[in-house]
Amino acid sequence: MLDEAEYEKAYLLYGKAFRYRERKTYEERFKELLDYYREVTGVSETNPNAIMHHRIAQYGEPCEKCGKPYRTPRASFCAACGNRKVVEGKDEKRL
């Protein structure tokens, strides 16, 4: 997963791959991005599009019960274990 500074650089490299004027293969265009991701994470990703979904800010905080991240920053239900996050200031009554 990439923090915001790492994601910003990856985003720029991703965009750069689309701006090549000369003919290059798919692998050649995205090589710089894939190499950067491997350097930062230690993972040899082969799909540049997948890298753009590895942004920490896209996900919520860890679930209080199982520790897996909520699917979005606004999520109140953990898809992994079914836990419902108690949000301060909201009615805690469950249906």
Side-chain angles (χ1 to χ4, degrees):
M1 298 297 279
L2 301 173
D3 64 25
E4 286 305 293
E6 294 163 342
Y7 181 82
E8 184 177 346
K9 181 164 183 181
Y11 181 81
L12 293 173
L13 293 172
Y14 184 77
K16 180 180 175 183
F18 287 103
R19 291 189 294 274
Y20 278 114
R21 296 271 183 223
E22 64 272 2
R23 292 187 140 217
K24 288 192 171 194
T25 66
Y26 181 82
E27 291 80 14
E28 291 171 329
R29 288 190 330 223
F30 289 100
K31 182 181 183 336
E32 195 174 356
L33 171 62
L34 296 172
D35 288 347
Y36 171 72
Y37 187 76
R38 183 174 45 255
E39 177 185 316
V40 170
T41 65
V43 175
S44 294
E45 180 61 65
T46 58
N47 184 347
N49 295 325
I51 292 172
M52 303 317 294
H53 292 280
H54 294 177
R55 182 182 191 183
I56 293 172
Q58 281 183 269
Y59 301 95
E61 62 192 51
C63 171
E64 302 81 10
K65 187 174 178 184
C66 72
K68 294 192 178 188
Y70 284 97
R71 290 200 172 170
T72 69
R74 294 180 54 198
S76 60
F77 175 79
C78 178
C81 72
N83 182 52
R84 292 198 179 273
K85 178 169 46 173
V86 176
V87 180
E88 289 183 32
K90 291 215 174 190
D91 186 6
E92 296 182 21
K93 186 191 304 183
R94 295 185 184 175
L95 299 176

